Amino acid sequence: MFVSTIQDKDSSTPSNYSIPFVLERSADGERSYDLASRMMQERIIMIDSDFNSQMAHIIKMQLMYLDSRSAQPITLFVSSPGGSVHDGLGIKDVAKNCRSPIKTIVMGYAASMGCYTQSVMGTPGMRLMGADSFIMAHQVSSGTKGLIIDQKIALHHSDRLNELLTKQIAEACGVSYDKFLKDVDRDLWLNAEEALNYGTKGFVDGILVGERNEKGQYKVKRRDGSFDWV
């Protein structure tokens, strides 16, 4: 969910899982990498947890590092239930200031802040989605506590965040603010085809339909029914 205020929330970060190591052999000998570092060499970043301060800290560092090394595209694989709005906006601000294009690929599902990442952070034309994946958009959820006056302030802030995110997603998808606000009055779940054809721009620009080619590009179906490689 979008979480707009400080709130107790169990993290879904897979901290109990060890990151595999891979061994590569070359003329210079053998070298081992943890798999996350190996993916960084391919300019791939995984967003596969809720949005929280720890994951945002890591994602922002990864984006800034990769962008400093090259202007080649950075790929974000997104599979997330959402989470903290402020942490997600921090990632978005870093991504939008990168010279590198941002390719986003939903694998599984991208809900709430994950949906925002997919629709708003991705460079137009490079917002992609697995054929059996889902998008879910909804309004901001507000967790408030404390004095009544502080709860009113928090709710006002949540309302501002809801307007900000709703306007940005609506613009990215090519629908009016009022239509999008109505559509997300309750959880809006869309499959890949529905996400592709939503509004005039869609939540995504293409659906993955084939294996990668020798250049590492994905075969993608566009909303006009054509196919190309991204």
Side-chain angles (χ1 to χ4, degrees):
M1 65 178 70
F2 287 119
V3 180
S4 63
T5 58
I6 297 175
Q7 178 178 340
D8 292 334
K9 189 173 185 291
D10 293 333
S11 173
S12 63
T13 303
S15 57
N16 293 328
Y17 292 86
S18 61
I19 298 177
F21 278 75
V22 293
L23 183 65
E24 293 190 346
R25 295 180 174 88
S26 68
D28 297 323
E30 295 183 345
R31 185 172 182 179
S32 64
Y33 301 85
D34 67 87
L35 200 51
S37 298
R38 187 64 185 85
M39 291 299 96
M40 283 281 284
Q41 287 194 346
E42 302 295 328
R43 301 181 67 78
I44 292 172
I45 298 174
M46 310 298 292
I47 297 181
D48 52 8
S49 72
D50 62 299
F51 283 74
N52 56 67
S53 59
Q54 287 184 319
M55 70 83 77
H57 177 67
I58 294 170
I59 298 298
K60 287 184 286 187
M61 287 194 299
Q62 289 176 303
L63 285 168
M64 294 173 72
Y65 172 76
L66 291 177
D67 190 55
S68 72
R69 301 283 294 180
S70 168
Q72 292 299 308
I74 298 170
T75 299
L76 298 181
F77 281 93
V78 183
S79 179
S80 174
S84 167
V85 171
H86 297 106
D87 291 318
L89 288 175
I91 295 172
K92 186 270 296 182
D93 282 343
V94 171
K96 286 298 185 181
N97 283 283
C98 287
R99 57 179 177 159
S100 304
I102 305 296
K103 181 190 298 182
T104 51
I105 303 178
V106 175
M107 291 297 196
Y109 77 129
S112 196
M113 206 65 203
C115 169
Y116 176 87
T117 300
Q118 171 63 18
S119 58
V120 175
M121 291 190 209
T123 299
M126 303 177 74
R127 304 175 305 159
L128 310 176
M129 186 172 182
D132 294 321
S133 297
F134 291 85
I135 287 279
M136 191 274 276
H138 62 185
Q139 296 189 43
V140 167
S141 300
S142 178
T144 62
K145 59 184 177 180
L147 300 175
I148 294 296
I149 186 63
D150 289 329
Q151 292 187 51
K152 290 180 178 179
I153 293 170
L155 285 169
H156 175 64
H157 181 59
S158 296
D159 189 53
R160 293 174 65 187
L161 286 177
N162 191 62
E163 182 178 1
L164 172 68
L165 269 61
T166 301
K167 284 183 175 179
Q168 290 184 6
I169 297 175
E171 181 179 357
C173 294
V175 298
S176 70
Y177 170 75
D178 289 337
K179 172 175 171 50
F180 188 70
L181 192 64
K182 181 179 179 181
D183 288 345
V184 297
D185 183 58
R186 292 294 185 269
D187 291 354
L188 176 67
W189 284 95
L190 302 175
N191 63 26
E193 288 286 347
E194 292 166 338
L196 178 64
N197 293 294
Y198 182 81
T200 61
K201 302 177 184 177
F203 283 97
V204 298
D205 302 306
I207 300 172
L208 307 186
V209 294
E211 298 178 358
R212 297 171 71 183
N213 62 18
E214 64 278 2
K215 296 180 180 179
Q217 298 171 313
Y218 291 92
K219 187 176 183 180
V220 171
K221 176 185 175 183
R222 300 297 188 178
R223 62 187 297 142
D224 62 0
S226 64
F227 298 88
D228 65 356
W229 296 89
V230 180

XYZ file of all heavy atoms in Angstrom, residues 74-76 78 91-92 95-96 100-105 114-128 172 202-205:
249
model
N 19.642 1.794 -17.355
C 19.599 1.045 -16.105
C 18.254 0.327 -16.056
O 17.214 0.941 -16.315
C 19.728 1.969 -14.888
C 21.081 2.705 -14.905
C 19.563 1.186 -13.581
C 21.192 3.808 -13.864
N 18.272 -0.966 -15.754
C 17.035 -1.742 -15.717
C 16.602 -1.969 -14.275
O 17.374 -2.471 -13.457
C 17.217 -3.105 -16.406
O 17.575 -2.895 -17.770
C 15.915 -3.910 -16.350
N 15.366 -1.585 -13.965
C 14.762 -1.856 -12.666
C 13.746 -2.979 -12.830
O 12.751 -2.814 -13.547
C 14.051 -0.613 -12.112
C 14.872 0.636 -11.822
C 13.957 1.728 -11.260
C 15.990 0.348 -10.840
N 10.813 -4.779 -11.137
C 9.907 -4.374 -10.064
C 8.952 -5.503 -9.714
O 8.238 -6.019 -10.576
C 9.098 -3.115 -10.456
C 8.220 -2.655 -9.298
C 10.032 -1.989 -10.899
N 13.479 7.818 -4.231
C 14.036 7.030 -5.334
C 13.696 7.689 -6.667
O 14.535 7.793 -7.566
C 13.510 5.592 -5.286
C 14.008 4.869 -4.030
C 13.935 4.820 -6.536
C 13.378 3.516 -3.811
N 12.456 8.140 -6.791
C 12.032 8.774 -8.050
C 12.854 10.023 -8.341
O 13.282 10.250 -9.485
C 10.540 9.120 -7.977
C 9.952 9.651 -9.283
C 10.037 11.165 -9.445
C 9.201 11.873 -8.396
N 9.253 13.357 -8.603
N 16.177 8.937 -9.641
C 16.045 8.363 -10.981
C 15.824 9.446 -12.038
O 16.392 9.384 -13.140
C 14.905 7.353 -11.010
N 14.998 10.430 -11.715
C 14.686 11.473 -12.683
C 15.868 12.402 -12.933
O 15.883 13.142 -13.921
C 13.472 12.283 -12.204
C 12.149 11.551 -12.332
C 11.832 11.208 -13.781
C 10.460 10.581 -13.942
N 10.173 10.233 -15.356
N 21.121 8.430 -17.313
C 20.828 7.120 -17.889
C 19.321 6.931 -18.039
O 18.566 7.237 -17.109
C 21.370 6.009 -16.989
O 22.751 6.159 -16.753
N 18.863 6.412 -19.180
C 17.454 6.024 -19.287
C 17.156 4.923 -18.267
O 18.026 4.114 -17.932
C 17.337 5.503 -20.726
C 18.529 6.032 -21.439
C 19.613 6.156 -20.424
N 15.929 4.898 -17.768
C 15.508 3.910 -16.784
C 14.511 2.960 -17.438
O 13.408 3.352 -17.815
C 14.866 4.561 -15.551
C 15.812 5.606 -14.934
C 14.490 3.497 -14.529
C 17.097 5.051 -14.385
N 14.922 1.700 -17.588
C 14.026 0.673 -18.108
C 13.383 -0.040 -16.919
O 14.079 -0.552 -16.043
C 14.795 -0.335 -18.954
C 13.938 -1.441 -19.571
C 14.796 -2.538 -20.195
C 15.645 -2.020 -21.327
N 16.437 -3.114 -21.966
N 12.061 -0.038 -16.847
C 11.357 -0.714 -15.763
C 10.659 -1.946 -16.311
O 10.037 -1.904 -17.375
C 10.330 0.209 -15.089
O 9.486 0.801 -16.086
C 11.017 1.330 -14.313
N 10.761 -3.041 -15.575
C 10.126 -4.297 -15.989
C 9.401 -4.896 -14.797
O 10.025 -5.274 -13.800
C 11.162 -5.313 -16.519
C 11.954 -4.713 -17.684
C 10.453 -6.590 -16.961
C 13.031 -5.636 -18.223
N 4.873 0.509 -6.034
C 5.479 -0.247 -7.128
C 4.892 0.168 -8.464
O 5.605 0.295 -9.461
N 3.581 0.398 -8.482
C 2.907 0.880 -9.692
C 3.408 2.269 -10.069
O 3.647 2.564 -11.244
C 1.391 0.887 -9.456
S 0.444 1.748 -10.720
N 3.584 3.123 -9.065
C 4.113 4.470 -9.306
C 5.498 4.392 -9.936
O 5.805 5.106 -10.894
C 4.163 5.235 -7.988
C 4.780 6.612 -8.083
C 3.999 7.720 -8.420
C 6.130 6.818 -7.808
C 4.556 8.992 -8.496
C 6.691 8.078 -7.882
C 5.914 9.171 -8.223
O 6.471 10.424 -8.304
N 6.336 3.503 -9.390
C 7.683 3.315 -9.934
C 7.619 2.942 -11.403
O 8.350 3.484 -12.236
C 8.429 2.219 -9.153
O 8.525 2.596 -7.783
C 9.815 1.990 -9.714
N 6.734 2.000 -11.724
C 6.615 1.523 -13.095
C 6.131 2.607 -14.043
O 6.694 2.794 -15.120
C 5.665 0.323 -13.144
C 5.273 -0.143 -14.525
C 6.456 -0.651 -15.334
O 7.498 -0.960 -14.782
N 6.296 -0.724 -16.640
N 5.092 3.317 -13.655
C 4.446 4.252 -14.580
C 5.172 5.591 -14.679
O 5.230 6.192 -15.756
C 2.987 4.477 -14.165
O 2.910 4.962 -12.840
N 5.729 6.071 -13.554
C 6.299 7.420 -13.514
C 7.814 7.424 -13.679
O 8.367 8.274 -14.368
C 5.907 8.130 -12.197
C 6.585 9.489 -12.081
C 4.395 8.291 -12.112
N 8.513 6.470 -13.049
C 9.979 6.478 -13.088
C 10.534 5.970 -14.405
O 11.616 6.365 -14.832
C 10.551 5.640 -11.945
C 10.345 6.240 -10.581
S 11.306 5.308 -9.359
C 10.290 5.554 -7.911
N 9.832 5.054 -15.043
C 10.342 4.465 -16.275
C 10.398 5.474 -17.413
O 9.495 6.300 -17.573
N 11.457 5.400 -18.200
C 11.586 6.262 -19.376
C 10.534 5.859 -20.410
O 10.368 4.669 -20.689
C 12.993 6.114 -19.987
O 13.968 6.510 -19.010
C 13.147 6.966 -21.237
N 9.786 6.820 -20.962
C 8.768 6.482 -21.965
C 9.336 5.600 -23.078
O 10.414 5.851 -23.609
C 8.346 7.854 -22.504
C 8.551 8.775 -21.348
C 9.806 8.269 -20.667
N 8.570 4.534 -23.392
C 8.994 3.558 -24.378
C 9.729 2.380 -23.768
O 9.882 1.339 -24.407
N 10.177 2.548 -22.496
C 10.960 1.502 -21.839
C 10.275 0.982 -20.576
O 10.913 0.334 -19.747
C 12.366 2.031 -21.509
C 13.118 2.536 -22.723
S 14.746 3.244 -22.344
C 15.673 1.753 -21.997
N 8.985 1.244 -20.446
C 8.216 0.741 -19.297
C 7.584 -0.589 -19.714
O 6.612 -0.606 -20.470
C 7.141 1.742 -18.885
C 7.660 3.137 -18.564
C 6.521 4.109 -18.289
N 5.583 4.122 -19.406
C 4.315 4.532 -19.318
N 3.824 4.965 -18.172
N 3.534 4.511 -20.381
N 8.125 -1.681 -19.250
C 7.733 -2.990 -19.734
C 7.120 -3.836 -18.624
O 7.181 -3.489 -17.456
C 8.955 -3.701 -20.328
C 9.776 -2.890 -21.338
C 10.996 -3.661 -21.777
C 8.920 -2.462 -22.526
N 1.288 10.236 -16.633
C 2.119 9.199 -17.247
C 1.286 8.225 -18.068
O 1.757 7.698 -19.086
C 2.900 8.451 -16.174
N -0.860 4.320 -21.287
C -0.752 3.079 -20.559
C 0.141 3.176 -19.326
O 0.974 4.066 -19.206
N -0.065 2.233 -18.410
C 0.864 2.093 -17.296
C 2.203 1.562 -17.795
O 3.242 1.781 -17.171
C 0.306 1.122 -16.252
C -0.771 1.688 -15.381
C -2.115 1.469 -15.677
C -0.458 2.441 -14.268
C -3.112 1.984 -14.873
C -1.440 2.964 -13.455
C -2.780 2.739 -13.752
N 2.160 0.824 -18.902
C 3.367 0.261 -19.502
C 3.360 0.557 -20.994
O 2.322 0.853 -21.583
C 3.461 -1.260 -19.256
C 3.535 -1.563 -17.775
C 2.295 -2.007 -19.894
N 4.533 0.458 -21.597
C 4.672 0.721 -23.030
C 4.752 -0.552 -23.851
O 4.652 -0.507 -25.080
C 5.937 1.551 -23.295
C 5.930 2.863 -22.533
O 4.951 3.614 -22.659
O 6.900 3.121 -21.801
